[in-house]
Amino acid sequence: MTEYRIISLNIGKPKTLIAGEKEIVSGVGKTSVDRAFLTKDGFLDDGVQQTKYHGGPDRAVLVYCFDHYEKWRNEFGKDLVLPGFGENITVAGLSEDLVHIGDVYQLGDAVIEITQSRIPCDTLSKYNKEQTLLSRLVQTGFTGYLARVRKEGWVEQDSTLIRISRNPNSVSVLYSNEIYFHDKHNIEGMKKLLDIEELAAAWKKKIKNRYDNLVS
């Protein structure tokens, strides 16, 4: 059983950030902590500003793969501040191609279930001061992923992610990104996503609307 090490455990309420000459209110600028309690609605003392794409019980936890930081460092020629993507969990080795929708993971005392890919926004480009970052996240599919909480509990900085179960009919987060962002006329791919019971309701609605428009 593979254990994936947490590099950083991050929480923080939305705050005002300076982006160029503008001020924006965002939950991206989180702070690394030693310990945090995870509830069905997310970590205590954590929050998001925009709930359209994340937040709520279906999208209570945001995870980002630490390995991608090296890619972005090589591409942009600088280190991005960690956590640079508003993630609660920065984890080593658990990238979007390895994680499937519906995967259930032990996370410290808590248990989480992967529900969808993260839909990035341009705040990430502004926060990291890289204009093309948003488009590169979409192009690569290295967006991070979201989870609901099946069991509440404490999470420590030195906790690990351990996969407990997988829906045999699920697909990877990377595959879901390909269908959602790029291969928008792939009816079979959409059917695969719609058949995944654990898929977040918001994503299911978007995919269902797109599917219905194509087959009608």
Side-chain angles (χ1 to χ4, degrees):
M1 185 177 294
T2 304
E3 296 188 11
Y4 296 93
R5 182 168 59 95
I6 292 178
I7 301 299
S8 187
L9 170 63
N10 318 297
I11 62 173
K13 295 289 189 181
K15 58 177 70 73
T16 300
L17 305 172
I18 304 299
E21 298 179 353
K22 295 183 178 180
E23 291 185 349
I24 57 174
V25 178
S26 173
V28 171
K30 299 187 186 301
T31 302
S32 179
V33 296
D34 293 330
R35 191 171 189 250
F37 190 79
L38 182 56
T39 76
K40 293 291 180 69
D41 292 317
F43 284 100
L44 292 182
D45 299 318
D46 188 53
V48 296
Q49 176 67 13
Q50 295 288 342
T51 57
K52 182 178 180 181
Y53 297 123
H54 43 85
D58 267 1
R59 304 178 290 190
V61 182
L62 175 58
V63 184
Y64 199 74
C65 181
F66 179 67
D67 305 52
H68 299 333
Y69 279 86
E70 182 177 1
K71 172 182 173 54
W72 303 131
R73 180 175 68 246
N74 292 335
E75 184 164 327
F76 297 123
K78 69 178 187 183
D79 288 317
L80 301 187
V81 176
L82 196 155
F85 299 89
E87 71 267 26
N88 300 114
I89 304 293
T90 315
V91 61
L94 198 52
S95 60
E96 290 79 359
D97 59 325
L98 298 177
V99 179
H100 284 210
I101 306 297
D103 279 357
V104 177
Y105 288 89
Q106 185 80 39
L107 173 60
D109 294 333
V111 176
I112 63 172
E113 179 179 82
I114 308 304
T115 56
Q116 68 167 78
S117 161
R118 187 262 190 89
I119 300 178
C121 63
D122 64 353
T123 301
L124 298 178
S125 295
K126 294 173 182 176
Y127 180 72
N128 289 287
K129 297 181 173 60
E130 286 296 339
Q131 185 176 357
T132 63
L133 179 58
L134 173 59
S135 63
R136 292 295 293 134
L137 291 172
V138 172
Q139 287 167 6
T140 59
F142 296 161
T143 57
Y145 40 93
L146 292 151
R148 66 172 60 94
V149 177
R150 290 184 45 167
K151 178 188 173 187
E152 299 181 340
W154 285 99
V155 181
E156 312 279 348
Q157 173 66 56
D158 59 356
S159 296
T160 58
L161 276 165
I162 305 170
R163 197 179 84 205
I164 299 172
S165 65
R166 167 168 290 175
N167 180 340
N169 298 314
S170 67
V171 299
S172 71
V173 170
L174 193 64
Y175 179 88
S176 74
N177 275 339
E178 179 64 24
I179 299 301
Y180 188 89
F181 292 115
H182 306 295
D183 199 1
K184 296 183 178 181
H185 292 82
N186 187 331
I187 291 175
E188 289 303 314
M190 289 182 226
K191 286 173 65 176
K192 286 182 180 179
L193 284 171
L194 291 172
D195 286 341
I196 302 172
E197 182 180 352
E198 299 89 348
L199 185 67
W203 252 57
K204 190 164 289 188
K205 181 178 180 180
K206 289 176 182 292
I207 297 297
K208 183 67 163 57
N209 288 341
R210 189 184 296 174
Y211 176 84
D212 288 344
N213 288 333
L214 287 172
V215 300
S216 60

